Amino acid sequence: MLLLIKNGTVINPGDQTQAEADVLVEDGMIKKIGAALPVKAERVIDAAGCYVMPGFIDMHVHLRDPGQEYKETVETGLRAAVHGGFTTIVAMPNTKPIVDNPDVVRYVHNKAQDIGLAHVLQAGAMTRGERGEELSDIEGMVEAGIPALSEDGKSVMNAQLCREAMTLAMKYDIPVLAHCEDRNLVNGGVVNEDGNAQRLGLKGIANSVEDVIAARDMILARETGAALHLCHCSTKGSVQMLRFAKQVGLRVTAEVCPHHFTLTSSDIPEDDANYKMNPPLRTQEDVDALKEGLRDGAIDVIATDHAPHTAIEKGEGLKHAPFGIAGLETVASLVMTELVEPGYLTMMQMAEKMSYNPAKILGLDRGVAEEGKPADLVVFDPQREYVINPADFYSKGKNTPFAGRKVRGMVMATVVDGRVVYER
Ligand code: DOR
Ligand code: ZN
Ligand code: ZN
């Protein structure tokens, strides 16, 4: 079956080209890219006025499956993913049970394959049960195909154990995706430590909670040689340290989430837990540093930390509700509205941070729009405006601080291995 995506502007971060062209897809692969291709295809997508980009790759998603299917399932998560323009996602291991052995890895991979929407790569926990006491079955999980190790939801507080996990990550050539949070420094905090914590009557989370572990993990990565990727960076300190680490040649990369470059702690209204996530919304100074880091390359990736929770759970208020917001279905519009439109990023950089760089970090032969490569593509209309409405989400998680926000940029179609898995 032939698929023709016509009249779009094709962005290929692989060779840094951007040109009006048609894309012909056959047998799951990009067969030809060229101006006004004279072919009759069974299926045609008119991408006039749109960008045709490599499908987005989200390095940070919570699918909640197994064990918390009332929050999300592999299927609802994947429907949300393709609605958001994603063709590959990395699932975090803090499920119930924790993904700390090959059986759970296979369970998620098999389920995702049966559903067949986007690619799912299940990350493996660094320690058994994410309890931080002993290493998980890392070798077994590598055999089962994990793309990375991560203790997401927390840090491995025992530095020796963390070092051992990094040594194995180095041995098996997979990156460590680090959630940087010093458990002792958190000290009961739920929002950023600033005047807004007082305004809301809540305990604060200092920047040092993140910065201390970011520094520690970079030191351990240098010593072990492991590839380290810092998850959801939220502080100015993280960006400064990343810049330095890259200058001295460390194997370190990092991601930022849309909420952390769009909102500050001042935006939190009285007791609305849709603004509660970990790490928390920080200050304008941090937001400015994150945007500058994205612009100058200190930050490589935009990821969502898609963390669906139920309305009942989020109704418990800022103090007691779980951390996290749904992110898969709003990220592309927020990147367009908050970063591309104001000139922080070009469309090419958007493609780099949402496809090309994640593919590189994960060692995937994707993230480009090139002949002979797998046809994972997204058709993105940069002009179309809309108001974010969680009722439109395919995710079970409607927990977003962006409800009612007017944004620009809309995913029009998503193609995975040549199959149109979402079309507006
Ligand atoms: O906001 C968050 N939610 N941060 C995390 O680290 C974990 C995640 C979750 O699992 O809900
Ligand atoms: Zn995390
Ligand atoms: Zn997470």
Side-chain angles (χ1 to χ4, degrees):
M1 137 123 184
L2 288 178
L3 165 69
L4 184 65
I5 305 173
K6 278 172 49 161
N7 307 322
T9 300
V10 179
I11 298 183
N12 178 22
D15 64 2
Q16 296 285 306
T17 55
Q18 180 167 331
E20 271 184 43
D22 295 352
V23 180
L24 181 66
V25 173
E26 187 178 23
D27 296 333
M29 309 295 275
I30 299 175
K31 173 133 197 211
K32 183 108 193 108
I33 300 178
L37 295 178
V39 272
K40 279 215 167 14
E42 282 100 321
R43 180 120 187 224
V44 176
I45 294 176
D46 187 359
C50 297
Y51 291 105
V52 181
M53 307 166 72
F56 302 140
I57 299 173
D58 195 345
M59 294 183 65
H60 198 137
V61 173
H62 295 274
L63 284 179
R64 308 298 190 207
D65 194 346
Q68 293 177 313
E69 293 87 349
Y70 59 96
K71 293 180 197 259
E72 194 83 292
T73 64
V74 176
E75 175 158 8
T76 57
L78 280 175
R79 290 203 182 285
V82 297
H83 184 213
F86 290 96
T87 52
T88 298
I89 61 176
V90 174
M92 285 301 180
N94 64 337
T95 47
K96 287 188 175 173
I98 298 283
V99 184
D100 61 5
N101 67 77
D103 290 340
V104 197
V105 175
R106 285 193 205 98
Y107 162 84
V108 176
H109 283 171
N110 290 340
K111 208 165 171 181
Q113 231 150 44
D114 288 347
I115 294 160
L117 287 167
H119 306 285
V120 174
L121 305 171
Q122 177 63 59
M126 295 160 80
T127 74
R128 219 168 268 288
E130 288 198 357
R131 282 188 296 274
E133 292 162 1
E134 56 187 326
L135 291 184
S136 57
D137 181 4
I138 292 173
E139 188 180 0
M141 292 193 293
V142 167
E143 274 166 25
I146 55 167
L149 286 178
S150 181
E151 197 85 335
D152 191 52
K154 54 179 82 160
S155 293
V156 177
M157 285 304 296
N158 180 330
Q160 169 57 18
L161 203 56
C162 188
R163 190 172 182 267
E164 287 171 24
M166 281 196 193
T167 302
L168 287 174
M170 171 70 185
K171 178 179 171 191
Y172 296 117
D173 197 23
I174 53 174
V176 170
L177 317 179
H179 167 116
C180 298
E181 178 185 18
D182 186 297
R183 183 192 297 164
N184 305 307
L185 280 173
V186 175
N187 197 27
V190 289
V191 294
N192 189 48
E193 184 178 84
D194 61 40
N196 289 292
Q198 275 118 58
R199 166 174 70 86
L200 298 160
L202 298 164
K203 286 183 88 175
I205 300 172
N207 283 26
S208 58
V209 168
E210 174 171 321
D211 295 350
V212 164
I213 300 291
R216 183 201 74 172
D217 282 2
M218 286 194 243
I219 290 164
L220 294 176
R222 183 173 63 172
E223 208 160 66
T224 57
L228 174 69
H229 176 79
L230 301 185
C231 296
H232 44 51
C233 291
S234 71
T235 66
K236 183 178 179 177
S238 283
V239 181
Q240 290 172 323
M241 287 188 281
L242 277 162
R243 212 170 266 133
F244 175 69
K246 289 185 171 183
Q247 266 165 24
V248 299
L250 244 104
R251 276 179 91 190
V252 57
T253 55
E255 73 196 25
V256 167
C257 304
H259 40 281
H260 290 127
F261 62 66
T262 304
L263 301 171
T264 70
S265 53
S266 302
D267 294 314
I268 307 176
E270 214 54 42
D271 219 21
D272 183 348
N274 285 319
Y275 290 76
K276 179 178 181 179
M277 70 291 284
N278 190 15
L281 299 174
R282 303 287 191 181
T283 65
Q284 192 59 50
E285 198 181 341
D286 295 301
V287 170
D288 292 343
L290 296 175
K291 285 182 174 171
E292 183 53 27
L294 281 162
R295 203 188 60 73
D296 74 12
I299 307 278
D300 312 83
V301 168
I302 296 167
T304 66
D305 198 4
H306 177 77
H309 296 291
T310 65
I312 291 174
E313 291 166 313
K314 280 300 194 180
E316 289 164 19
L318 278 166
K319 190 165 179 192
H320 300 289
F323 291 92
I325 67 168
L328 284 167
E329 293 165 274
T330 48
V331 55
S333 312
L334 289 167
V335 171
M336 188 70 211
T337 309
E338 298 294 326
L339 300 177
V340 178
E341 284 256 293
Y344 288 99
L345 296 186
T346 61
M347 285 307 294
M348 185 63 72
Q349 285 175 304
M350 176 177 174
E352 285 167 7
K353 293 186 198 290
M354 294 190 69
S355 305
Y356 186 76
N357 292 343
K360 272 266 144 67
I361 294 164
L362 296 164
L364 308 175
D365 189 24
R366 298 181 190 266
V368 293
E370 278 168 20
E371 291 174 6
K373 295 290 182 186
D376 283 6
L377 297 163
V378 58
V379 179
F380 184 69
D381 184 339
Q383 297 296 339
R384 202 185 276 235
E385 292 185 328
Y386 70 102
V387 174
I388 293 173
N389 179 1
D392 299 334
F393 292 176
Y394 286 82
S395 172
K396 287 190 185 183
K398 313 297 179 191
N399 47 315
T400 174
F402 298 117
R405 198 179 184 94
K406 193 172 172 191
V407 286
R408 186 188 286 252
M410 188 180 265
V411 171
M412 304 306 286
T414 307
V415 175
V416 174
D417 284 332
R419 287 173 293 117
V420 183
V421 289
Y422 170 77
E423 191 170 14
R424 203 189 135 73

